[in-house]
Amino acid sequence: DYNMDFRPRLAWAQMWELMANHFAKIGCHKNAMVSMFAIDALRQLSFKFLEKPELSDFNFQRIFLRPFLLIMENASSRNDIRELILRCVDNMIRALAHNLRSGWKVFFSILTLSASDPSEKINTLGLAILQRLLDEHLDQLCRLDEFNDHGAESKSDENEEQKQLSALQRRQRNANAEDFVELCKASLSFVQTEESEHPLPIGLSMRALCHTACYADLIASKRVLPPVSGCQSEDPAGSGFTYDGLSDVEAEEMVLWRPIFDGLAAGICSPVPSIHGDVGCIVQRGSLMTLRAILLRHGSLFSVSQWVVILKQVILPSIQIAAEYDNSQVTKITSESPSVSSLDFLSDPLPLPPDSEDEGLIKFAMLSQSEESAPTRPLGEAELLVEASFADLRHNGDGNLSRVHGLAKKDADGIISNEQPFPDSWIATTAPIALGLLTDIIGKVIVDLGVSARTVIWPIVIGQFQRWSIGYPLLRPIHERRAEMTQNDGGSRDAQPWFPCEALVRIGCHELGRIPDVVFDASSSLTEQEAIEWPNTLCLSFSDTLTKNVVSAGMAHEELVECKLAALGIPKEKKDTTEKKESTDVKEIVNTPYGKGRVVGKRKDKHVVGGVEKSVNITVVEMESGATMYGPIVQEKKDQKAQKKEKRSSKTTQPKVKEVIKKGKKSNMTSRDYLYHFVRALKIKCVASHCLQQQLPHFMDLAAWKLGKEEVSKMLEALEHSRQMSRKASLDEDLAHAFQEALFSEWGDGVEEVEAALSSMGKFNHRGGSEMFFLTQQAGSNKATIHLLSLLFLNNLRNKESEKLDNAIVKEWDREGHAQPLLLERMMDVLENFLISEEKDGTLIDPNVWRMSSESGGKVAVYCTSFAVVVVEILNTIIMFSTDQFARHKNVIFPVLCSLVKVQSDEIRGLIYTILSKQVAPLIDVSME
């Protein structure tokens, strides 16, 4: 006691250099009695030393407590000794937390080491000490009153207060911020992010995640203040570690946030399995839920620049790494049709959480604090949300946190009780929540940031949506690109680019479809100008996404056919049958006695000659001079027999796939190679186009009246591009054979049986075939086009919300005039082709397929079944025509309606009856009553 009270501390420090090493050595002695005696002596000395407050600008506590840390770091120390050290730490915090200054750093380092200890008992004890610290000693840890007596009301006030701090206060504030960072790291060390021989219990990781939410609440409430200097972004282990690309003030604020965000990001993409029963990715989902709660509750604290950093360096890399590391069977699943998903087991995104004042959340908080082990302090906003989310997860809830207090009353045995088909798959269990997080923060936080949210942040977010929904841009895996950035020779430059699986594509398209809803829900907080600009920006984003996907799908189509021909040993020049067939069907070039012309139409005229009715095929030819010629087919053609002979000879000279593969000389690409690389990718591309087009009608209903002419034109161009590409693909016989070869390759049949199998399968039930995929895409593009044009043509765009906006803001243009010719052209084209297909194939199809025409697209790969849903859309549009609109176009519409009366579909015939009753009857002055 005499030495403690009267000997100068500098003298003590010199003496302790010798004594500390001795204690550290003896504390690891193999003899338990010797080591325990050393720890007990060290404990008594520490209590005596900590009873005296530490003077400012000194770190004697850190020096004095260092032997404890050295013993914990020593791998040869005994388990019971490490446990004894933790209990000493716990006792010192309980008794002397008010005197601790520089000693906090040693304690946090010891607790961090306890997380990686092979003993589960030590793991549990270390986290329990952290929990007690949060529950009972937050005031001693924060020490906010050392700097100011009241919180700053704004950033300008805070900056003024910082300028008034003395040099000593500035150093102490930096030291407190550094201690807080170490505390965050100590808790996050219990979230296992690396493989280990002694994995941490899942419950400890989930409890540690609750700690991080508490730390976020402390920062948001300014109970912990950021440093005032010394920020850097190069050394993660150094003090003041923050993000680069920020202003000085923004960088200082992010010093406190960075350990939380980095720790949660590591938890999101952790490769460590966290499976309880038949449910997996528990820690990964917990990390994501915690980050979601923090950003939704405190996201308004961040500036646009800080949000850019959070997205680019935290959220997007973590979810991308997790998606790329998922090698489960989910990534190999592809559906047999774009409209019939084989991935119904994917989890759903979480619903938006209720407000902090929600009655259900308040009841849950009261219920949680009524437990004996509950802290006496109130739960913060983010912490309460995390606790409620974990309770919902633990009891297999539906994500509605307003009702979670009812679940918390139940006694649950274990963490989660439900089962999942692929518990080891991050994509199946966590990816929907991950991308849903982006959707939620767009609607709840980012939209409120003004113009910068749309011009700066939205391009970053849509980039990730495109990464998952269409695989754009094609980049190598992110971990390889990062290795290349950190190493001169790093990365495998020959690695294949990463491409999303179908599950990610469907998740990405679904979330992209939710964006308009969350933006329109937040429109009340937008300026009038931004309320108009956002729909137009979203329209351009949808158009750009669809266009990029269609372009890449077209390229994949061409590459697939090239590889197939190369495998067959056929020169590319000899193959052009599909393109020639398509050009002949659309607008072929013909030679006439008056020069070259282009076929623009064909019809059949009937004449009575000598009392006998005869039919003549008339071709409409547009001449180069501008004149139009009508008459029988006049093109000079080759002798048909010669053509057939040439065609047969070209077929017989084509070698079989198996023969070329066996030789292995003409191409390095085997059949299985090109099937795997291209067919699967092309199917997924088609699924992406279909899913994107499925989302468009709902967006158009919300936004069509706000869209400008340029944005509408871009959307129509994208849909037309999709229609043409899918039509071309659906007619390509080589592509159809490649899809079937891929199917037989999966079944294990030899390649030489493909031709025979194709001929024996018949025309229908082509699930998994190219017709099924591309007819579905073609139908979807037509339906979306007709839906948009009908909204413009019907001029039924305005809703109650439109009355709040000045007409000068919404760009006025001739919507009806612009849509009319395009709408009629699309409608007639679809209906005429539908009638041709239905007359040819309709009676051959199972009648059950026609029970609901709007749902028949994914059953049979025939034009009439695939386009039945489009016909229903067209007929519903005609029903909504005004009397004047129908009267103007009755000569075009009525003959087609008469033909549709005899189709197989009861639904279509019922709509025809409605049109005749509502539109035709008034024109002929017939009452249907």
Side-chain angles (χ1 to χ4, degrees):
D1 290 342
Y2 174 83
N3 286 310
M4 285 288 182
D5 293 334
F6 297 102
R7 191 178 295 278
R9 302 202 179 186
L10 288 175
W12 258 109
Q14 294 173 358
M15 293 169 53
W16 194 249
E17 289 184 4
L18 299 174
M19 298 172 62
N21 293 330
H22 181 69
F23 274 109
K25 182 178 180 179
I26 299 303
C28 298
H29 200 279
K30 294 181 180 179
N31 189 314
M33 297 298 294
V34 174
S35 56
M36 285 189 176
F37 185 84
I39 298 300
D40 184 63
L42 189 58
R43 177 189 63 81
Q44 296 181 47
L45 288 172
S46 300
F47 265 93
K48 287 290 184 180
F49 192 83
L50 292 176
E51 286 176 355
K52 299 183 65 176
E54 185 177 56
L55 300 177
S56 301
D57 271 356
F58 288 91
N59 61 349
F60 290 130
Q61 291 181 355
R62 187 180 304 177
I63 296 173
F64 200 89
L65 296 173
R66 184 166 177 76
F68 289 113
L69 179 60
L70 295 175
I71 297 171
M72 285 291 293
E73 291 175 338
N74 195 322
S76 63
S77 59
R78 297 166 53 91
N79 284 0
D80 53 355
I81 294 299
R82 295 195 299 275
E83 179 183 348
L84 180 59
I85 289 176
L86 286 177
R87 297 197 181 279
C88 292
V89 170
D90 187 24
N91 290 334
M92 284 185 276
I93 291 176
R94 291 191 187 198
L96 300 169
H98 59 282
N99 275 352
L100 282 173
R101 293 293 185 271
S102 65
W104 282 119
K105 187 175 182 66
V106 176
F107 287 165
F108 296 149
S109 298
I110 291 173
L111 295 174
T112 301
L113 288 172
S114 70
S116 58
D117 198 278
S119 171
E120 184 176 324
K121 185 177 182 180
I122 292 177
N123 302 151
T124 305
L125 179 58
L127 190 67
I129 295 172
L130 282 169
Q131 184 68 50
R132 188 176 297 108
L133 174 61
L134 292 180
D135 295 342
E136 300 176 4
H137 303 290
L138 270 183
D139 292 336
Q140 292 89 346
L141 179 64
C142 296
R143 298 195 301 275
L144 186 61
D145 56 347
E146 294 183 359
F147 308 104
N148 57 309
D149 296 328
H150 55 85
E153 296 182 358
S154 65
K155 287 193 175 183
S156 59
D157 294 338
E158 185 176 341
N159 292 335
E160 289 298 322
E161 289 183 1
Q162 289 185 17
K163 294 178 181 178
Q164 297 175 5
L165 294 176
S166 65
L168 177 61
Q169 288 177 317
R170 295 169 69 87
R171 288 194 298 272
Q172 190 60 48
R173 179 160 157 178
N174 289 350
N176 287 353
E178 186 177 351
D179 287 342
F180 179 79
V181 168
E182 294 300 321
L183 172 63
C184 296
K185 291 180 179 179
S187 288
L188 285 164
S189 64
F190 288 87
V191 180
Q192 190 163 1
T193 59
E194 296 179 357
E195 295 282 357
S196 173
E197 296 180 0
H198 306 281
L200 287 166
I202 294 176
L204 293 185
S205 295
M206 302 299 278
R207 177 48 46 192
L209 291 172
C210 294
H211 292 182
T212 61
C214 176
Y215 301 146
D217 290 329
L218 292 176
I219 301 172
S221 62
K222 297 185 178 179
R223 293 186 65 182
V224 179
L225 299 177
V228 293
S229 62
C231 295
Q232 52 88 22
S233 57
E234 290 78 23
D235 182 14
S239 60
F241 185 56
T242 185
Y243 298 104
D244 56 358
L246 300 172
S247 66
D248 291 342
V249 175
E250 291 172 333
E252 290 166 359
E253 292 173 347
M254 297 304 288
V255 168
L256 301 179
W257 289 105
R258 176 145 200 180
I260 297 175
F261 289 153
D262 288 358
L264 293 176
I268 291 171
C269 59
S270 172
V272 181
S274 55
I275 299 177
H276 179 84
D278 291 323
V279 180
C281 296
I282 299 173
V283 172
Q284 289 83 347
R285 275 190 283 174
S287 301
L288 191 59
M289 289 177 177
T290 304
L291 181 61
R292 178 176 184 264
I294 292 172
L295 293 177
L296 290 180
R297 285 294 188 247
H298 304 310
S300 59
L301 299 175
F302 304 113
S303 65
V304 172
S305 298
Q306 289 170 328
W307 265 113
V308 169
V309 165
I310 292 170
L311 287 169
K312 285 188 172 182
Q313 300 189 42
V314 179
I315 301 177
L316 303 188
S318 63
I319 65 176
Q320 185 62 35
I321 289 173
E324 292 179 3
Y325 276 166
D326 190 340
N327 294 319
S328 65
Q329 290 299 315
V330 173
T331 61
K332 300 176 177 62
I333 296 176
T334 53
S335 302
E336 295 181 346
S337 168
S339 59
V340 182
S341 173
S342 300
L343 296 153
D344 296 334
F345 53 82
L346 296 175
S347 62
D348 296 322
L350 296 176
L352 280 170
D355 296 332
S356 301
E357 303 301 323
D358 179 74
E359 182 178 354
L361 270 184
I362 294 175
K363 288 182 179 179
F364 173 78
M366 295 174 61
L367 185 63
S368 299
Q369 292 186 308
S370 64
E371 300 176 359
E372 295 182 2
S373 59
T376 56
R377 61 177 177 83
L379 299 177
E381 291 185 7
E383 187 181 12
L384 175 58
L385 197 58
V386 171
E387 293 279 5
S389 299
F390 287 179
D392 181 81
L393 178 66
R394 186 165 55 248
H395 295 88
N396 190 26
D398 59 359
N400 187 343
L401 301 186
S402 295
R403 299 197 299 261
V404 74
H405 64 280
L407 297 175
K409 294 179 181 179
K410 300 179 181 179
D411 293 328
D413 182 17
I415 297 181
I416 309 176
S417 58
N418 68 322
E419 296 183 0
Q420 294 174 326
F422 297 92
D424 61 331
S425 172
W426 186 92
I427 292 175
T429 60
T430 314
I433 304 174
L435 214 58
L437 167 62
L438 293 181
T439 305
D440 294 339
I441 61 178
I442 283 287
K444 283 296 184 181
V445 182
I446 293 179
V447 169
D448 295 335
L449 296 177
V451 178
S452 297
R454 180 173 51 83
T455 59
V456 178
I457 299 179
W458 172 246
I460 300 172
V461 176
I462 188 62
Q464 185 62 36
F465 280 118
Q466 290 182 345
R467 192 90 168 91
W468 279 15
S469 59
I470 64 173
Y472 179 87
L474 280 176
L475 298 174
R476 286 181 290 115
I478 188 171
H479 63 277
E480 294 187 359
R481 286 183 277 120
R482 282 187 166 185
E484 185 173 314
M485 293 172 61
T486 56
Q487 302 175 11
N488 294 332
D489 60 342
S492 176
R493 297 180 183 273
D494 296 330
Q496 291 292 331
W498 178 84
F499 188 77
C501 61
E502 184 183 331
L504 284 178
V505 166
R506 291 188 180 274
I507 292 168
C509 293
H510 178 266
E511 286 306 312
L512 192 55
R514 286 183 58 212
I515 290 290
D517 287 321
V518 300
V519 171
F520 276 82
D521 288 343
S523 59
S524 59
S525 62
L526 298 175
T527 63
E528 292 183 348
Q529 185 63 39
E530 282 300 294
I532 295 298
E533 294 297 338
W534 263 107
N536 285 276
T537 299
L538 293 178
C539 181
L540 293 176
S541 297
F542 273 111
S543 304
D544 178 63
T545 304
L546 181 59
T547 299
K548 288 175 178 176
N549 186 66
V550 171
V551 169
S552 61
M555 294 172 61
H557 172 196
E558 294 177 1
E559 291 176 355
L560 171 58
V561 173
E562 285 184 23
C563 290
K564 181 179 187 297
L565 295 175
L568 290 167
I570 304 173
K572 182 180 178 182
E573 299 78 26
K574 290 187 178 180
K575 191 273 167 190
D576 212 7
T577 57
T578 302
E579 290 77 7
K580 287 181 179 179
K581 179 180 178 181
E582 185 177 5
S583 64
T584 301
D585 290 341
V586 183
K587 292 182 179 180
E588 67 179 78
I589 302 297
V590 296
N591 293 320
T592 73
Y594 308 98
K596 289 185 178 182
R598 184 183 299 273
V599 176
V600 295
K602 297 179 182 179
R603 71 172 187 240
K604 181 180 288 187
D605 289 355
K606 295 182 179 180
H607 303 278
V608 178
V609 180
V612 180
E613 184 177 289
K614 294 186 177 181
S615 298
V616 180
N617 294 323
I618 302 296
T619 303
V620 183
V621 180
E622 181 179 300
M623 308 301 295
E624 292 181 345
S625 61
T628 304
M629 187 180 73
Y630 300 83
I633 298 177
V634 294
Q635 183 178 11
E636 299 176 2
K637 298 183 178 180
K638 294 182 179 180
D639 181 29
Q640 291 185 357
K641 291 184 178 180
Q643 283 185 331
K644 291 182 179 179
K645 183 178 181 181
E646 180 180 341
K647 188 174 182 180
R648 284 196 302 268
S649 63
S650 65
K651 283 187 176 180
T652 56
T653 56
Q654 293 179 1
K656 296 288 184 180
V657 177
K658 187 176 180 181
E659 295 173 0
V660 176
I661 293 174
K662 280 185 176 180
K663 293 178 180 179
K665 296 179 180 179
K666 296 185 178 181
S667 174
N668 293 326
M669 176 70 73
T670 65
S671 175
R672 186 174 296 274
D673 286 337
Y674 78 75
L675 292 177
Y676 178 80
H677 286 292
F678 293 110
V679 172
R680 180 173 176 270
L682 200 51
K683 285 183 177 181
I684 293 175
K685 287 285 183 185
C686 186
V687 169
S689 294
H690 170 75
C691 292
L692 287 171
Q693 291 165 172
Q694 289 289 99
Q695 304 295 339
L696 292 179
H698 176 62
F699 167 69
M700 295 167 184
D701 291 338
L702 293 173
W705 68 276
K706 296 183 179 181
L707 300 180
K709 185 176 181 179
E710 179 182 355
E711 288 74 18
V712 169
S713 298
K714 289 287 186 183
M715 178 64 74
L716 292 174
E717 288 175 9
L719 290 170
E720 178 63 14
H721 198 175
S722 175
R723 184 185 73 85
Q724 292 179 357
M725 177 267 158
S726 55
R727 180 176 183 272
K728 178 180 177 180
S730 66
L731 297 174
D732 192 330
E733 294 181 1
D734 284 315
L735 185 64
H737 279 230
F739 270 61
Q740 292 294 345
E741 288 174 24
L743 182 62
F744 286 117
S745 177
E746 293 178 3
W747 292 349
D749 287 345
V751 182
E752 71 276 5
E753 286 86 18
V754 172
E755 297 284 346
L758 286 176
S759 60
S760 65
M761 285 183 65
K763 185 172 182 180
F764 301 128
N765 279 333
H766 287 177
R767 281 206 169 186
S770 63
E771 298 93 338
M772 176 66 75
F773 277 83
F774 292 105
L775 281 175
T776 302
Q777 178 181 342
Q778 187 182 350
S781 62
N782 277 280
K783 181 182 178 183
T785 300
I786 291 169
H787 190 87
L788 175 57
L789 292 172
S790 66
L791 290 174
L792 300 174
F793 179 68
L794 297 173
N795 203 23
N796 187 23
L797 303 171
R798 299 238 168 200
N799 52 28
K800 293 182 179 180
E801 183 186 358
S802 66
E803 300 174 0
K804 302 177 184 178
L805 299 175
D806 186 4
N807 290 334
I809 296 178
V810 180
K811 298 177 182 178
E812 294 297 338
W813 54 286
D814 186 9
R815 293 177 171 85
E816 183 177 354
H818 181 77
Q820 176 178 302
L822 300 174
L823 177 61
L824 290 176
E825 187 272 333
R826 278 288 91 231
M827 289 169 57
M828 292 302 103
D829 178 72
V830 170
L831 292 177
E832 289 172 0
N833 284 289
F834 175 81
L835 286 169
I836 294 172
S837 175
E838 204 277 341
E839 182 179 1
K840 180 182 178 183
D841 302 321
T843 57
L844 304 177
I845 298 172
D846 186 346
N848 291 324
V849 175
W850 292 114
R851 290 185 181 275
M852 184 58 66
S853 299
S854 56
E855 298 177 359
S856 63
K859 298 178 180 179
V860 180
V862 183
Y863 188 98
C864 58
T865 56
S866 299
F867 275 74
V869 63
V870 189
V871 173
V872 170
E873 176 80 18
I874 292 172
L875 297 180
N876 281 318
T877 299
I878 295 175
I879 291 173
M880 298 177 65
F881 277 15
S882 66
T883 303
D884 178 63
Q885 288 173 333
F886 187 84
R888 288 203 310 266
H889 304 292
K890 62 181 184 295
N891 293 336
V892 178
I893 297 175
F894 187 73
V896 180
L897 295 179
C898 293
S899 301
L900 286 171
V901 171
K902 59 182 180 180
V903 301
Q904 301 290 319
S905 169
D906 293 337
E907 183 182 9
I908 292 177
R909 292 200 303 270
L911 291 172
I912 295 296
Y913 173 81
T914 304
I915 294 173
L916 294 175
S917 303
K918 182 178 179 180
Q919 301 287 12
V920 179
L923 294 179
I924 59 177
D925 197 22
V926 173
S927 175
M928 298 299 295
E929 297 180 357

